mmCIF file with all atom_site columns, all heavy atoms in Angstrom:
data_model
loop_
_atom_site.group_PDB
_atom_site.id
_atom_site.type_symbol
_atom_site.label_atom_id
_atom_site.label_alt_id
_atom_site.label_comp_id
_atom_site.label_asym_id
_atom_site.label_entity_id
_atom_site.label_seq_id
_atom_site.pdbx_PDB_ins_code
_atom_site.Cartn_x
_atom_site.Cartn_y
_atom_site.Cartn_z
_atom_site.occupancy
_atom_site.B_iso_or_equiv
_atom_site.pdbx_formal_charge
_atom_site.auth_seq_id
_atom_site.auth_comp_id
_atom_site.auth_asym_id
_atom_site.auth_atom_id
_atom_site.pdbx_PDB_model_num
ATOM 1   N N   . ARG A 1 166 ? -17.517 10.045 14.973 1.00 95.00 ? 166 ARG A N   1
ATOM 2   C CA  . ARG A 1 166 ? -18.780 10.765 15.080 1.00 95.00 ? 166 ARG A CA  1
ATOM 3   C C   . ARG A 1 166 ? -19.089 11.349 13.708 1.00 95.00 ? 166 ARG A C   1
ATOM 4   O O   . ARG A 1 166 ? -18.188 11.807 13.012 1.00 95.00 ? 166 ARG A O   1
ATOM 5   C CB  . ARG A 1 166 ? -18.685 11.909 16.100 1.00 95.00 ? 166 ARG A CB  1
ATOM 6   C CG  . ARG A 1 166 ? -18.497 11.447 17.535 1.00 95.00 ? 166 ARG A CG  1
ATOM 7   C CD  . ARG A 1 166 ? -19.770 10.791 18.079 1.00 95.00 ? 166 ARG A CD  1
ATOM 8   N NE  . ARG A 1 166 ? -19.616 10.345 19.459 1.00 95.00 ? 166 ARG A NE  1
ATOM 9   C CZ  . ARG A 1 166 ? -19.159 9.153  19.820 1.00 95.00 ? 166 ARG A CZ  1
ATOM 10  N NH1 . ARG A 1 166 ? -18.795 8.262  18.905 1.00 95.00 ? 166 ARG A NH1 1
ATOM 11  N NH2 . ARG A 1 166 ? -19.068 8.835  21.104 1.00 95.00 ? 166 ARG A NH2 1
ATOM 12  N N   . LYS A 1 193 ? -1.800  37.513 26.353 1.00 95.00 ? 193 LYS A N   1
ATOM 13  C CA  . LYS A 1 193 ? -1.518  38.905 25.964 1.00 95.00 ? 193 LYS A CA  1
ATOM 14  C C   . LYS A 1 193 ? -1.706  39.860 27.141 1.00 95.00 ? 193 LYS A C   1
ATOM 15  O O   . LYS A 1 193 ? -0.872  40.722 27.401 1.00 95.00 ? 193 LYS A O   1
ATOM 16  C CB  . LYS A 1 193 ? -2.447  39.316 24.816 1.00 95.00 ? 193 LYS A CB  1
ATOM 17  C CG  . LYS A 1 193 ? -2.253  40.758 24.387 1.00 95.00 ? 193 LYS A CG  1
ATOM 18  C CD  . LYS A 1 193 ? -3.210  41.181 23.277 1.00 95.00 ? 193 LYS A CD  1
ATOM 19  C CE  . LYS A 1 193 ? -3.141  42.694 23.133 1.00 95.00 ? 193 LYS A CE  1
ATOM 20  N NZ  . LYS A 1 193 ? -3.256  43.159 21.766 1.00 95.00 ? 193 LYS A NZ  1
ATOM 21  N N   . ASP A 1 207 ? 7.455   34.130 38.275 1.00 77.00 ? 207 ASP A N   1
ATOM 22  C CA  . ASP A 1 207 ? 7.734   33.206 39.382 1.00 77.00 ? 207 ASP A CA  1
ATOM 23  C C   . ASP A 1 207 ? 6.480   32.932 40.190 1.00 77.00 ? 207 ASP A C   1
ATOM 24  O O   . ASP A 1 207 ? 6.386   31.930 40.888 1.00 77.00 ? 207 ASP A O   1
ATOM 25  C CB  . ASP A 1 207 ? 8.770   33.812 40.332 1.00 77.00 ? 207 ASP A CB  1
ATOM 26  C CG  . ASP A 1 207 ? 10.170  33.658 39.797 1.00 77.00 ? 207 ASP A CG  1
ATOM 27  O OD1 . ASP A 1 207 ? 10.347  32.948 38.789 1.00 77.00 ? 207 ASP A OD1 1
ATOM 28  O OD2 . ASP A 1 207 ? 11.086  34.225 40.407 1.00 77.00 ? 207 ASP A OD2 1
ATOM 29  N N   . SER A 1 215 ? -1.974  26.147 32.631 1.00 93.00 ? 215 SER A N   1
ATOM 30  C CA  . SER A 1 215 ? -3.039  25.402 31.973 1.00 93.00 ? 215 SER A CA  1
ATOM 31  C C   . SER A 1 215 ? -3.915  26.321 31.103 1.00 93.00 ? 215 SER A C   1
ATOM 32  O O   . SER A 1 215 ? -4.247  25.979 29.957 1.00 93.00 ? 215 SER A O   1
ATOM 33  C CB  . SER A 1 215 ? -3.884  24.731 33.062 1.00 93.00 ? 215 SER A CB  1
ATOM 34  O OG  . SER A 1 215 ? -4.897  23.955 32.522 1.00 93.00 ? 215 SER A OG  1
ATOM 35  N N   . LYS A 1 235 ? -15.397 32.479 10.785 1.00 98.00 ? 235 LYS A N   1
ATOM 36  C CA  . LYS A 1 235 ? -15.595 33.821 11.337 1.00 98.00 ? 235 LYS A CA  1
ATOM 37  C C   . LYS A 1 235 ? -16.934 34.018 12.039 1.00 98.00 ? 235 LYS A C   1
ATOM 38  O O   . LYS A 1 235 ? -16.986 34.437 13.197 1.00 98.00 ? 235 LYS A O   1
ATOM 39  C CB  . LYS A 1 235 ? -15.444 34.835 10.197 1.00 98.00 ? 235 LYS A CB  1
ATOM 40  C CG  . LYS A 1 235 ? -15.530 36.281 10.636 1.00 98.00 ? 235 LYS A CG  1
ATOM 41  C CD  . LYS A 1 235 ? -15.427 37.223 9.430  1.00 98.00 ? 235 LYS A CD  1
ATOM 42  C CE  . LYS A 1 235 ? -16.671 38.064 9.359  1.00 98.00 ? 235 LYS A CE  1
ATOM 43  N NZ  . LYS A 1 235 ? -16.670 39.032 8.250  1.00 98.00 ? 235 LYS A NZ  1
ATOM 44  N N   . TYR A 1 245 ? -19.076 35.005 25.257 1.00 98.00 ? 245 TYR A N   1
ATOM 45  C CA  . TYR A 1 245 ? -18.031 34.911 26.272 1.00 98.00 ? 245 TYR A CA  1
ATOM 46  C C   . TYR A 1 245 ? -17.780 36.284 26.907 1.00 98.00 ? 245 TYR A C   1
ATOM 47  O O   . TYR A 1 245 ? -17.734 36.426 28.136 1.00 98.00 ? 245 TYR A O   1
ATOM 48  C CB  . TYR A 1 245 ? -16.749 34.369 25.616 1.00 98.00 ? 245 TYR A CB  1
ATOM 49  C CG  . TYR A 1 245 ? -15.584 34.167 26.552 1.00 98.00 ? 245 TYR A CG  1
ATOM 50  C CD1 . TYR A 1 245 ? -15.726 33.469 27.750 1.00 98.00 ? 245 TYR A CD1 1
ATOM 51  C CD2 . TYR A 1 245 ? -14.316 34.659 26.233 1.00 98.00 ? 245 TYR A CD2 1
ATOM 52  C CE1 . TYR A 1 245 ? -14.640 33.266 28.591 1.00 98.00 ? 245 TYR A CE1 1
ATOM 53  C CE2 . TYR A 1 245 ? -13.230 34.459 27.058 1.00 98.00 ? 245 TYR A CE2 1
ATOM 54  C CZ  . TYR A 1 245 ? -13.397 33.766 28.246 1.00 98.00 ? 245 TYR A CZ  1
ATOM 55  O OH  . TYR A 1 245 ? -12.317 33.562 29.077 1.00 98.00 ? 245 TYR A OH  1
ATOM 56  N N   . GLU A 1 259 ? -20.264 43.956 44.414 1.00 98.00 ? 259 GLU A N   1
ATOM 57  C CA  . GLU A 1 259 ? -20.060 43.070 45.571 1.00 98.00 ? 259 GLU A CA  1
ATOM 58  C C   . GLU A 1 259 ? -21.220 42.103 45.788 1.00 98.00 ? 259 GLU A C   1
ATOM 59  O O   . GLU A 1 259 ? -21.606 41.813 46.923 1.00 98.00 ? 259 GLU A O   1
ATOM 60  C CB  . GLU A 1 259 ? -19.761 43.883 46.834 1.00 98.00 ? 259 GLU A CB  1
ATOM 61  C CG  . GLU A 1 259 ? -18.438 44.608 46.674 1.00 98.00 ? 259 GLU A CG  1
ATOM 62  C CD  . GLU A 1 259 ? -17.967 45.306 47.949 1.00 98.00 ? 259 GLU A CD  1
ATOM 63  O OE1 . GLU A 1 259 ? -18.435 44.924 49.029 1.00 98.00 ? 259 GLU A OE1 1
ATOM 64  O OE2 . GLU A 1 259 ? -17.122 46.203 47.824 1.00 98.00 ? 259 GLU A OE2 1
ATOM 65  N N   . GLU A 1 267 ? -22.507 31.616 40.256 1.00 96.00 ? 267 GLU A N   1
ATOM 66  C CA  . GLU A 1 267 ? -21.913 31.468 38.915 1.00 96.00 ? 267 GLU A CA  1
ATOM 67  C C   . GLU A 1 267 ? -20.913 30.312 38.906 1.00 96.00 ? 267 GLU A C   1
ATOM 68  O O   . GLU A 1 267 ? -20.891 29.481 38.004 1.00 96.00 ? 267 GLU A O   1
ATOM 69  C CB  . GLU A 1 267 ? -21.137 32.736 38.520 1.00 96.00 ? 267 GLU A CB  1
ATOM 70  C CG  . GLU A 1 267 ? -21.977 33.941 38.211 1.00 96.00 ? 267 GLU A CG  1
ATOM 71  C CD  . GLU A 1 267 ? -22.358 33.998 36.745 1.00 96.00 ? 267 GLU A CD  1
ATOM 72  O OE1 . GLU A 1 267 ? -22.189 32.998 36.029 1.00 96.00 ? 267 GLU A OE1 1
ATOM 73  O OE2 . GLU A 1 267 ? -22.849 35.064 36.327 1.00 96.00 ? 267 GLU A OE2 1
ATOM 74  N N   . ARG B 1 166 ? 10.142  33.582 47.643 1.00 95.00 ? 166 ARG B N   1
ATOM 75  C CA  . ARG B 1 166 ? 10.166  34.934 47.096 1.00 95.00 ? 166 ARG B CA  1
ATOM 76  C C   . ARG B 1 166 ? 9.554   35.862 48.139 1.00 95.00 ? 166 ARG B C   1
ATOM 77  O O   . ARG B 1 166 ? 8.583   35.487 48.800 1.00 95.00 ? 166 ARG B O   1
ATOM 78  C CB  . ARG B 1 166 ? 9.337   35.023 45.801 1.00 95.00 ? 166 ARG B CB  1
ATOM 79  C CG  . ARG B 1 166 ? 9.894   34.248 44.637 1.00 95.00 ? 166 ARG B CG  1
ATOM 80  C CD  . ARG B 1 166 ? 11.178  34.879 44.094 1.00 95.00 ? 166 ARG B CD  1
ATOM 81  N NE  . ARG B 1 166 ? 11.722  34.133 42.973 1.00 95.00 ? 166 ARG B NE  1
ATOM 82  C CZ  . ARG B 1 166 ? 12.561  33.107 43.066 1.00 95.00 ? 166 ARG B CZ  1
ATOM 83  N NH1 . ARG B 1 166 ? 12.938  32.665 44.252 1.00 95.00 ? 166 ARG B NH1 1
ATOM 84  N NH2 . ARG B 1 166 ? 13.014  32.512 41.986 1.00 95.00 ? 166 ARG B NH2 1
ATOM 85  N N   . LYS B 1 193 ? -18.909 28.362 31.534 1.00 95.00 ? 193 LYS B N   1
ATOM 86  C CA  . LYS B 1 193 ? -20.304 28.825 31.518 1.00 95.00 ? 193 LYS B CA  1
ATOM 87  C C   . LYS B 1 193 ? -20.806 29.031 30.078 1.00 95.00 ? 193 LYS B C   1
ATOM 88  O O   . LYS B 1 193 ? -21.905 28.600 29.727 1.00 95.00 ? 193 LYS B O   1
ATOM 89  C CB  . LYS B 1 193 ? -20.413 30.145 32.290 1.00 95.00 ? 193 LYS B CB  1
ATOM 90  C CG  . LYS B 1 193 ? -21.819 30.709 32.299 1.00 95.00 ? 193 LYS B CG  1
ATOM 91  C CD  . LYS B 1 193 ? -21.908 32.048 33.026 1.00 95.00 ? 193 LYS B CD  1
ATOM 92  C CE  . LYS B 1 193 ? -23.252 32.682 32.720 1.00 95.00 ? 193 LYS B CE  1
ATOM 93  N NZ  . LYS B 1 193 ? -23.882 33.335 33.843 1.00 95.00 ? 193 LYS B NZ  1
ATOM 94  N N   . ASP B 1 207 ? -18.345 15.416 23.087 1.00 77.00 ? 207 ASP B N   1
ATOM 95  C CA  . ASP B 1 207 ? -17.489 14.447 22.384 1.00 77.00 ? 207 ASP B CA  1
ATOM 96  C C   . ASP B 1 207 ? -16.507 15.162 21.462 1.00 77.00 ? 207 ASP B C   1
ATOM 97  O O   . ASP B 1 207 ? -15.479 14.613 21.100 1.00 77.00 ? 207 ASP B O   1
ATOM 98  C CB  . ASP B 1 207 ? -18.351 13.535 21.488 1.00 77.00 ? 207 ASP B CB  1
ATOM 99  C CG  . ASP B 1 207 ? -18.979 12.419 22.288 1.00 77.00 ? 207 ASP B CG  1
ATOM 100 O OD1 . ASP B 1 207 ? -18.655 12.271 23.472 1.00 77.00 ? 207 ASP B OD1 1
ATOM 101 O OD2 . ASP B 1 207 ? -19.801 11.691 21.705 1.00 77.00 ? 207 ASP B OD2 1
ATOM 102 N N   . SER B 1 215 ? -7.960  21.789 29.069 1.00 93.00 ? 215 SER B N   1
ATOM 103 C CA  . SER B 1 215 ? -6.926  22.583 29.716 1.00 93.00 ? 215 SER B CA  1
ATOM 104 C C   . SER B 1 215 ? -7.434  23.974 30.101 1.00 93.00 ? 215 SER B C   1
ATOM 105 O O   . SER B 1 215 ? -7.185  24.460 31.201 1.00 93.00 ? 215 SER B O   1
ATOM 106 C CB  . SER B 1 215 ? -5.750  22.690 28.741 1.00 93.00 ? 215 SER B CB  1
ATOM 107 O OG  . SER B 1 215 ? -4.683  23.392 29.289 1.00 93.00 ? 215 SER B OG  1
ATOM 108 N N   . LYS B 1 235 ? -10.815 42.542 45.119 1.00 98.00 ? 235 LYS B N   1
ATOM 109 C CA  . LYS B 1 235 ? -11.764 43.117 44.166 1.00 98.00 ? 235 LYS B CA  1
ATOM 110 C C   . LYS B 1 235 ? -11.145 44.138 43.214 1.00 98.00 ? 235 LYS B C   1
ATOM 111 O O   . LYS B 1 235 ? -11.278 44.022 41.991 1.00 98.00 ? 235 LYS B O   1
ATOM 112 C CB  . LYS B 1 235 ? -12.916 43.768 44.952 1.00 98.00 ? 235 LYS B CB  1
ATOM 113 C CG  . LYS B 1 235 ? -14.049 44.304 44.100 1.00 98.00 ? 235 LYS B CG  1
ATOM 114 C CD  . LYS B 1 235 ? -15.111 44.973 44.958 1.00 98.00 ? 235 LYS B CD  1
ATOM 115 C CE  . LYS B 1 235 ? -15.221 46.436 44.562 1.00 98.00 ? 235 LYS B CE  1
ATOM 116 N NZ  . LYS B 1 235 ? -16.255 47.164 45.308 1.00 98.00 ? 235 LYS B NZ  1
ATOM 117 N N   . GLU B 1 259 ? -12.130 41.348 9.339  1.00 98.00 ? 259 GLU B N   1
ATOM 118 C CA  . GLU B 1 259 ? -11.262 40.455 8.555  1.00 98.00 ? 259 GLU B CA  1
ATOM 119 C C   . GLU B 1 259 ? -9.834  40.978 8.420  1.00 98.00 ? 259 GLU B C   1
ATOM 120 O O   . GLU B 1 259 ? -9.192  40.837 7.372  1.00 98.00 ? 259 GLU B O   1
ATOM 121 C CB  . GLU B 1 259 ? -11.879 40.167 7.183  1.00 98.00 ? 259 GLU B CB  1
ATOM 122 C CG  . GLU B 1 259 ? -13.186 39.403 7.344  1.00 98.00 ? 259 GLU B CG  1
ATOM 123 C CD  . GLU B 1 259 ? -13.775 38.911 6.035  1.00 98.00 ? 259 GLU B CD  1
ATOM 124 O OE1 . GLU B 1 259 ? -13.024 38.785 5.054  1.00 98.00 ? 259 GLU B OE1 1
ATOM 125 O OE2 . GLU B 1 259 ? -14.989 38.629 6.011  1.00 98.00 ? 259 GLU B OE2 1
ATOM 126 N N   . GLU B 1 267 ? -1.263  39.313 16.530 1.00 96.00 ? 267 GLU B N   1
ATOM 127 C CA  . GLU B 1 267 ? -1.653  39.151 17.944 1.00 96.00 ? 267 GLU B CA  1
ATOM 128 C C   . GLU B 1 267 ? -1.167  37.809 18.481 1.00 96.00 ? 267 GLU B C   1
ATOM 129 O O   . GLU B 1 267 ? -0.626  37.723 19.576 1.00 96.00 ? 267 GLU B O   1
ATOM 130 C CB  . GLU B 1 267 ? -3.191  39.148 18.077 1.00 96.00 ? 267 GLU B CB  1
ATOM 131 C CG  . GLU B 1 267 ? -3.874  40.462 17.856 1.00 96.00 ? 267 GLU B CG  1
ATOM 132 C CD  . GLU B 1 267 ? -3.987  41.265 19.138 1.00 96.00 ? 267 GLU B CD  1
ATOM 133 O OE1 . GLU B 1 267 ? -3.327  40.916 20.128 1.00 96.00 ? 267 GLU B OE1 1
ATOM 134 O OE2 . GLU B 1 267 ? -4.725  42.260 19.122 1.00 96.00 ? 267 GLU B OE2 1
#
Side-chain angles (χ1 to χ4, degrees):
Chain A
R166 293 289 180 272
K193 178 182 168 144
D207 280 351
S215 182
K235 184 182 121 179
Y245 182 50
E259 295 187 21
E267 289 271 13
Chain B
R166 293 290 180 272
K193 179 182 167 140
D207 279 353
S215 182
K235 185 182 119 178
E259 296 188 22
E267 289 271 13

